[in-house]
Amino acid sequence: MSQPLSGLLHHERPIFAYSSPGRTGASLPACDVPAVDAQTLWPAALLRDQAPALPEVSEPQVVRHYTRLSQWNMSIDTAMYPLGSCTMKYNPRLADWAASLPAFAELHPYQPEDQLQGALQVLHELEGMLAALGGFARVTLQPAAGAHGELCGLMMIRAYHADRRQQRRKVLIPDTAHGTNPATCTLNGFTAVELPTSGEHGVLEPDTVSAALDDEVAALMITNPSTLGLFETHIVEIAERVHRAGGLVYMDGANFNAVMGKLRPGDIGVDAMHFNLHKTFATPHGGGGPGAGPVGVTAALEPFLPIPTVERAGDRLRLDYDRPRSIGRLRSFWGNFLVLLRAYVYLREHGAAGLSRVSELAVLNANYLRVQLRELLHVPHPQHCMHEVVASDRDLRPLGLSTIDLAKRLIDYGFHPPTVYFPLVVPGALMVEPTESETPETLDAFVAAVRAIVDEARTSPDLLRSAPHLAGIGRLDEARAARKPRLRYQPDADDPR
Ligand SMILES: *Cc1c(COP(=O)(O)O)cnc(C)c1O
C-alpha cells in the first residue's frame, strides 16, 4: 500500500465500482410460490425492458464500504465538536437503546389508539415535562426542527392577532439572530425588522425595542441566551413594553441548555418558545436530522395549537383533531416520535435536579474556555458568558490570517472547528460551545491546540493557510466548488489506484 491510511480512507470508490456480474450478497432458498408475470400486474408501458444496473456485490463488500464511508466524518463520537449555537453534546446511549426497543420502533401510527396507549403516554408526559420546564400552559410536539417550531409559533401568533381582528405585519428581530428567524418571518408573510444590539454589552436595550414598536408589530422574536452567549438581561422590561404595544414575545429556545431548570421563559414574559430537542435533550444532531422542535405556549395561544394534541379521557389517552381554532396540521402523524422518545428518556434520566446541573456545567465549561481563550484570541464581549463564547480573528488579521485558517488547522489537531463567521455582528467570529459533556482534560487539550496554532500563526503562517494537512481532503477552493460543482464520480480522476 503506497497510500497513507487516511488517503485510502478518503478515496473510497462508489459501491458500483466493486460490482462484478452475478455476484450476490445473500443466498435465499428457491421460491416456493408460483412466480407472477409482471405483465399481468402492470401496464406494459410502465415496465422496464432491462433490469436496472444495480451493484452486484457480496455482503462483506457492502458492510466494509459503508463502514469505511462512516469514518469520513468527524463526529461527536470520535472527537470534541464545539459548534456554537448547534449544541453538539454527547447523546446518551440509554436514549438510543429506548428508541430501538421494538415496542416503540415498530409501532405504526395507523394502529388503533387502544394499541398506542404506551406511546401516547410518552407524548403526554413529555409535553407535561417540557411545559413545566418552560412555564407554559401547553406544548405541541409536532414540529420536526427548531426552524419548523419557529414557523409553528409565528403561525399561532398570526392566528392570535387575526382572531382579535388585528392586522399586524412586522416582527422585530435583534441583529444577533440565527438566519432561520428572519427566514421564518418572510415565509409567514411578516416583515422582519432588524434591531441593533448595543455594541458594548452585546444585548438588546429596551429603548431600541420601544423605538420600533407600533400597532403593526405582531411580535418580538428573541433568542435568549443570545447567539453571543449572553443573557438578555433586559428581557422582562422588553417583554412588558412589547405586550403594552399589543405584540407577543417569541423566544428562540435553541440555547435553552444554558438555563433549563434555572429559568422558566413563561415567567419572564415569553408567550411562545421552541425547544430544540436535538440540541438540548439527547438525539444525535447532525447530518440534517431528524430533529424535533416542540413549541410551548401560554394559555392565550393554546386554542391555536396544531392538531393533533394528546388528551386524557378518563383512564385512556386519545388524539384530539377537533380543535376549531387550530392552525391545522404541521406534520404527518404525531411528530418525530423516536426523537421525542429520546428526549423523554433524557429528561427522566436526569430529573429536575440533574437538568439544572446540566445547565450549570454547560455554563461553567464555556466560562472555563472563555478565560483561557481570552489570553490567546480577541474576545469582543469578555464578560461572563452563558453556554458559549465568541472569539474573533482581529489579532490574526495583521498576520494575513483569518478565522477560516485557524478553523482548518484545528482539524489537524483532531478537533472539529467551532462555528465560524457567526454571529454576523462579530467580524471573523469563532463561536465555541463545549457543552456540559466534555471533561476538563478535553477542554484543556482544545485550549492547548488553539495556543499551538496561535504560535504557528506567528512562526509559520503558511501551515495555517494551507491547512488541513492530516485530513484525507485538503483545503478546497470553496468558491469553485460552489460555482462549478463536480457531482459525478469520474473513475480516472477520482480513483487513486
Ligand atoms: C439551531 C438553531 C436554530 C434552528 O434550529 P434547527 O433545529 O436547526 O431548525 C434556530 N435558532 C438558533 C439560535 C439555533 O441555534
Side-chain angles (χ1 to χ4, degrees):
M1 269 194 238
S2 58
Q3 294 275 331
L5 182 62
S6 64
L8 272 183
L9 264 181
H10 289 85
H11 281 104
E12 182 65 19
R13 297 183 292 164
I15 187 92
F16 291 89
Y18 300 101
S19 183
S20 176
R23 190 178 286 157
T24 160
S27 44
L28 298 175
C31 186
D32 61 356
V33 292
V36 176
D37 186 354
Q39 308 262 7
T40 63
L41 295 175
W42 304 98
L46 295 182
L47 294 178
R48 292 172 175 276
D49 41 26
Q50 273 182 345
L54 297 178
E56 298 176 77
V57 282
S58 72
E59 181 168 341
Q61 280 182 307
V62 173
V63 170
R64 287 175 191 158
H65 171 71
Y66 287 108
T67 304
R68 285 192 295 256
L69 281 182
S70 76
Q71 307 299 300
W72 284 29
N73 270 341
M74 196 175 263
S75 74
I76 195 74
D77 286 342
T78 51
M80 181 182 170
Y81 209 125
L83 276 185
S85 212
C86 294
T87 310
M88 304 295 287
K89 66 162 72 169
Y90 175 71
N91 304 289
R93 291 299 176 267
L94 188 67
D96 276 346
W97 166 79
S100 64
L101 290 174
F104 287 125
E106 291 170 15
L107 272 183
H108 195 284
Y110 279 140
Q111 278 172 250
E113 253 170 39
D114 61 352
Q115 294 176 7
L116 299 173
Q117 289 297 307
L120 293 181
Q121 188 169 340
V122 165
L123 298 178
H124 194 253
E125 287 183 21
L126 176 62
E127 175 181 349
M129 287 190 280
L130 292 176
L133 275 174
F136 293 116
R138 291 295 303 260
V139 177
T140 171
L141 303 174
Q142 294 278 316
H148 202 199
E150 293 171 26
L151 181 76
C152 171
L154 284 196
M155 285 172 77
M156 286 191 273
I157 288 174
R158 194 175 59 187
Y160 166 89
H161 289 304
D163 200 53
R164 297 155 64 99
R165 311 248 174 280
Q166 298 216 354
Q167 287 266 345
R168 290 175 173 256
R169 305 230 161 277
K170 293 196 272 191
V171 174
L172 310 181
I173 305 182
D175 56 9
T176 41
H178 192 273
T180 50
N181 291 187
T184 304
C185 288
T186 308
L187 204 64
N188 254 307
F190 289 115
T191 307
V193 179
E194 183 177 301
L195 302 181
T197 47
S198 94
E200 192 196 341
H201 303 292
V203 296
L204 189 62
E205 300 286 344
D207 288 345
T208 311
V209 178
S210 291
L213 279 174
D214 57 27
D215 58 9
E216 284 265 283
V217 170
L220 166 77
M221 204 172 188
I222 187 166
T223 308
N224 198 15
S226 75
T227 64
L228 284 170
L230 302 177
F231 189 75
E232 293 288 356
T233 41
H234 306 295
I235 182 71
V236 172
E237 170 74 22
I238 288 173
E240 274 171 19
R241 294 192 189 189
V242 173
H243 288 150
R244 249 181 275 135
L248 296 179
V249 176
Y250 183 91
M251 183 170 135
D252 178 329
N255 298 334
F256 195 59
N257 63 328
V259 293
M260 66 175 165
K262 299 286 174 191
L263 166 147
R264 304 195 316 162
D267 295 343
I268 56 167
V270 172
D271 300 288
M273 178 191 102
H274 73 258
F275 302 83
N276 298 60
L277 296 191
H278 47 290
K279 293 180 179 175
T280 311
F281 307 103
T283 288
H285 171 202
V295 177
V297 294
T298 55
L301 287 172
E302 181 180 342
F304 310 105
L305 287 173
I307 51 170
T309 56
V310 181
E311 306 293 340
R312 185 163 284 292
D315 60 351
R316 312 293 287 164
L317 291 163
R318 62 179 191 87
L319 292 166
D320 182 11
Y321 292 87
D322 183 20
R323 301 178 64 86
R325 288 197 281 166
S326 164
I327 58 169
R329 248 192 186 292
L330 273 187
R331 202 191 171 284
S332 54
F333 305 119
W334 351 308
N336 270 336
F337 177 71
L338 293 177
V339 178
L340 301 171
L341 176 65
R342 285 185 180 90
Y344 174 85
V345 171
Y346 186 88
L347 285 158
R348 294 294 301 261
E349 178 193 4
H350 284 84
L355 293 171
S356 255
R357 184 91 184 117
V358 164
S359 297
E360 285 166 13
L361 289 174
V363 172
L364 180 66
N365 280 354
N367 280 285
Y368 184 77
L369 286 184
R370 175 183 60 88
V371 170
Q372 299 190 72
L373 289 177
R374 212 170 48 177
E375 308 294 315
L376 305 171
L377 294 168
H378 172 235
V379 174
H381 298 287
Q383 72 262 40
H384 188 93
C385 64
M386 298 299 286
H387 60 298
E388 62 199 2
V389 56
V390 179
S392 95
D393 63 4
R394 189 193 70 184
D395 301 339
L396 293 175
R397 269 178 262 149
L399 305 167
L401 295 167
S402 68
T403 291
I404 191 79
D405 304 309
L406 193 157
K408 294 288 188 195
R409 185 66 177 142
L410 267 172
I411 298 172
D412 290 336
Y413 283 84
F415 293 95
H416 191 283
T419 296
V420 292
Y421 301 103
F422 179 77
L424 303 177
V425 287
V426 174
L430 259 149
M431 183 202 234
V432 184
E433 177 173 6
T435 80
E436 80 284 0
S437 42
E438 296 301 343
T439 61
E441 291 89 332
T442 306
L443 300 183
D444 287 341
F446 177 76
V447 172
V450 174
R451 180 176 294 116
I453 295 171
V454 168
D455 281 347
E456 288 171 350
R458 293 200 192 86
T459 54
S460 34
D462 280 341
L463 262 183
L464 275 71
R465 255 175 230 123
S466 47
H469 303 279
L470 300 179
I473 293 175
R475 183 83 68 104
L476 299 175
D477 180 340
E478 292 183 8
R480 206 159 60 112
R483 298 221 171 101
K484 296 196 169 130
R486 222 182 68 203
L487 303 175
R488 270 177 189 277
Y489 175 66
Q490 295 167 7
D492 297 336
D494 292 339
D495 197 336
R497 274 149 292 193

